[in-house]
Amino acid sequence: PYDVLVVGGGPAGAAAAIYAARKGIRTGVAAERFGGQVLDTMAIENFISVQETEGPKLAAALEQHVRSYDVDIMNLQRAEKLIPGQQHVEVQLANGASLKARTVILSTGARWRQMNVPGENEYRNKGVAYCPHCDGPLFKGKRVAVIGGGNSGVEAAIDLAGIVSHVTLLEFDSQLRADAVLQRKLHSLPNVRVITSAQTTEVLGDGQKVTGLVYKDRVGHDDHRLELEGIFVQIGLLPNTEWLKGTVALSPRGEIEVDAHGRTSVPAVFAAGDATTVPYKQIVIAMGEGSKAALSAFDHLIRSSAP
Ligand code: FAD
């Protein structure tokens, strides 16, 4: 059995594996796609101490760093079931194999909910963005839309209004769902327009980058076009935790509930990164949380009786 088995190979999982391996304990990583969301990212400008890098480059560096230690990397392996136990925690993989470990660190990350409209995938990273903290500054002085009028959409619109020239916020429903204090702040901004009952139906582009979008007015039923350079989709971040339902305590949003040490509701099972309740989903944060979870797992091991 592993001393530490990490499930997920994004920034959180890579950091957890390195911190565990550096304790000289038996460490494994099982990941569906080593690198995680970083693989889908182009410019990264907020990875502290690295002015600018690219997702695939950072993902390769993550893997290289992990491989420099004695870690079993099991890539292209999807975990389907977690079975807690007195002696060992068991993780069952989609390929039928079963891994046993004295401690497990869950770092399966999350995925942004997509609009699923024509043009969205084609112009991803070419004007279609999901993370205002990451990509907001790339649209300095330009026109953008924010899709979604919940807390994250309205927060994004307020944030972006300070950077870009104009923000149009589109909400599907007849009213915004964000907290009143955020809505008041939003409505006080001169360069923000809010359109409700608006269903985005298409992302427009010139083959290279986004040039606009089309939305349907759900009341009048007619189509409208907006000309703009960026579209921030803020209709939800879905944690990859479906497989843990009923085993580990999850928040109403499906995030793994963790305490300040990265402990979950199950003894010997820890969690880190975008899959958890930790606020702000970012690379540096995921790495810090992964490191913390590994140190907590090590602490658990030295306190438990088995040799
Ligand atoms: P993830 O990166 O999501 O990794 C999860 C890992 O778990 C993957 O290896 C995945 O394959 C694996 N996995 C999932 N389910 C299972 C399963 N059942 N069994 C086994 N493995 C599984 N952040 C920044 O700080 N700066 C940026 O500029 C930035 N830009 C971004 C741009 C885009 C387009 C996106 C999508 C995200 C961006 N982010 C950025 C956010 C950042 O990528 C995430 O916060 C970070 O990757 C989270 O790390 P993580 O390890 O928690 O999860």
Side-chain angles (χ1 to χ4, degrees), residues 257-273:
E257 287 183 351
V258 286
D259 68 8
H261 292 257
R263 289 183 285 237
T264 71
S265 62
V266 177
V269 177
F270 302 82

Side-chain angles (χ1 to χ4, degrees), residues 15-100:
I18 290 168
Y19 266 75
R22 286 173 60 81
K23 295 296 183 190
I25 54 183
R26 195 155 175 239
T27 305
V29 184
E32 194 170 358
R33 196 170 63 123
F34 197 95
Q37 289 171 72
V38 171
L39 286 173
D40 304 324
T41 305
M42 282 319 296
I44 299 170
E45 299 181 350
N46 58 4
F47 184 52
I48 307 310
S49 86
V50 179
Q51 256 184 42
E52 206 189 327
T53 185
E54 278 151 20
K57 221 164 123 184
L58 178 58
L62 284 179
E63 185 165 348
Q64 212 179 11
H65 197 174
V66 175
R67 284 197 189 280
S68 73
Y69 290 95
D70 188 15
V71 174
D72 278 359
I73 299 186
M74 296 159 272
N75 198 5
L76 310 179
Q77 298 300 333
R78 187 158 54 87
E80 284 191 333
K81 202 167 179 199
L82 180 83
I83 305 166
Q86 288 293 339
Q87 297 293 318
H88 298 120
V89 179
E90 196 179 326
V91 173
Q92 288 182 351
L93 302 178
N95 72 1
S98 163
L99 304 171
K100 287 198 170 78

Side-chain angles (χ1 to χ4, degrees), residues 169-176 194-200 215-222 224:
L169 184 131
L170 298 174
E171 163 59 40
F172 181 85
D173 208 351
S174 59
Q175 55 184 17
L176 302 184
V194 175
I195 307 176
T196 53
S197 302
Q199 180 180 6
T200 307
Y215 71 90
K216 182 189 271 305
D217 175 352
R218 298 179 60 236
V219 179
H221 300 291
D222 42 348
H224 299 261

Side-chain angles (χ1 to χ4, degrees), residues 7-14 30-38 40-47 75 77-80 93 107-112 124-125 128-131 133-135 240-241 243 272-275 280-287:
V7 184
E32 194 170 358
R33 196 170 63 123
F34 197 95
Q37 289 171 72
V38 171
D40 304 324
T41 305
M42 282 319 296
I44 299 170
E45 299 181 350
N46 58 4
F47 184 52
N75 198 5
Q77 298 300 333
R78 187 158 54 87
E80 284 191 333
L93 302 178
S107 54
T108 46
R111 60 197 188 272
W112 296 94
R124 189 180 183 133
N125 292 324
V128 176
Y130 297 86
C131 174
H133 310 302
C134 313
D135 296 341
N240 300 319
T241 56
W243 64 290
D274 282 17
Y280 310 116
K281 312 311 197 208
Q282 294 284 283
I283 295 164
V284 283
I285 293 174
M287 286 183 175

Side-chain angles (χ1 to χ4, degrees), residues 37 108-114 116 235-242 253-255 274-276 281:
Q37 289 171 72
T108 46
R111 60 197 188 272
W112 296 94
R113 192 196 292 271
Q114 296 192 266
N116 291 320
I235 54 177
L237 184 66
L238 305 172
N240 300 319
T241 56
E242 292 84 355
R253 287 179 178 187
E255 297 166 329
D274 282 17
T276 72
K281 312 311 197 208

Side-chain angles (χ1 to χ4, degrees), residues 153-293:
V154 172
E155 280 168 13
I158 295 168
D159 172 2
L160 291 165
I163 301 170
V164 305
S165 67
H166 189 267
V167 180
T168 308
L169 184 131
L170 298 174
E171 163 59 40
F172 181 85
D173 208 351
S174 59
Q175 55 184 17
L176 302 184
R177 288 158 292 126
D179 298 342
V181 56
L182 289 173
Q183 293 197 38
R184 272 199 299 280
K185 173 72 185 175
L186 182 75
H187 289 299
S188 76
L189 299 171
N191 60 339
V192 176
R193 177 182 172 205
V194 175
I195 307 176
T196 53
S197 302
Q199 180 180 6
T200 307
T201 52
E202 191 176 351
V203 172
L204 303 173
D206 61 7
Q208 305 291 317
K209 53 186 177 7
V210 166
T211 55
L213 62 76
V214 181
Y215 71 90
K216 182 189 271 305
D217 175 352
R218 298 179 60 236
V219 179
H221 300 291
D222 42 348
D223 286 340
H224 299 261
R225 273 169 175 257
L226 292 177
E227 280 183 21
L228 38 77
E229 289 77 41
I231 301 171
F232 283 84
V233 183
Q234 296 289 301
I235 54 177
L237 184 66
L238 305 172
N240 300 319
T241 56
E242 292 84 355
W243 64 290
L244 297 167
K245 246 172 228 164
T247 315
V248 177
L250 304 177
S251 74
R253 287 179 178 187
E255 297 166 329
I256 303 165
E257 287 183 351
V258 286
D259 68 8
H261 292 257
R263 289 183 285 237
T264 71
S265 62
V266 177
V269 177
F270 302 82
D274 282 17
T276 72
T277 47
V278 73
Y280 310 116
K281 312 311 197 208
Q282 294 284 283
I283 295 164
V284 283
I285 293 174
M287 286 183 175
E289 292 287 308
S291 310
K292 198 165 75 176

